[in-house]
Amino acid sequence: MLKTYQGSCHCGAVRYEADIDLEEGTGRCNCSVCAKRRFWGTTVRPEQFRLLDGEQDLGDYQFNTNSVHHRFCRTCGTPTFGHGFIEEVGGAFYSVSLATLDAPESELAEAPIKYMDGANNNWWSPPAEVRHL
């Protein structure tokens, strides 16, 4: 069920809201940046994401193909969301860090998780090992 969630960085400088259906699933990836961050997220269409405050406080990190902007708060360092355009995932998207949602733990705990093997560019299959993700 689609629901509007609020989210923010640790210090509160960056605030956003996103329309998310947690029942559709969430994701964890073993690519180099996701593995280092232990990222757990979900993807939404651009019209489902709204930055409420803190645009001036956002840092931007890109690597490899530079197809995704990994955004973070420049004050506290919290990675809150990313955005980009990748044809294989349907074009333009926002990727929301579920750890930054102001959501009940029970809702997050019940959300299904899909594991992606980004380290081997095999995005549609899970990696052999997922316990560390």
Side-chain angles (χ1 to χ4, degrees), residues 22 25-29 34 37-43 79-80 95-101 104-116 133:
L22 288 174
T26 64
R28 290 190 176 162
C29 175
C34 288
R37 290 180 170 183
R38 297 298 187 256
F39 180 75
W40 178 32
T42 192
T43 303
T80 49
S95 181
V96 176
S97 172
L98 296 177
T100 65
L101 289 180
E105 289 179 6
S106 60
E107 288 183 35
L108 294 175
E110 293 171 9
I113 300 172
K114 176 183 177 186
Y115 293 93
M116 295 155 281
L133 299 177

Side-chain angles (χ1 to χ4, degrees), residues 55-73:
E55 186 168 0
Q56 69 281 0
D57 298 302
L58 284 170
D60 186 19
Y61 177 68
Q62 292 182 279
F63 70 102
N64 196 8
T65 64
N66 294 325
S67 55
V68 179
H69 295 267
H70 301 273
R71 307 306 296 267
F72 61 93
C73 175

Side-chain angles (χ1 to χ4, degrees), residues 6-16 78 80 99-102:
Q6 305 280 317
S8 63
C9 63
H10 185 257
C11 72
V14 176
R15 294 183 318 104
Y16 67 89
T78 303
T80 49
T100 65
L101 289 180
D102 304 323

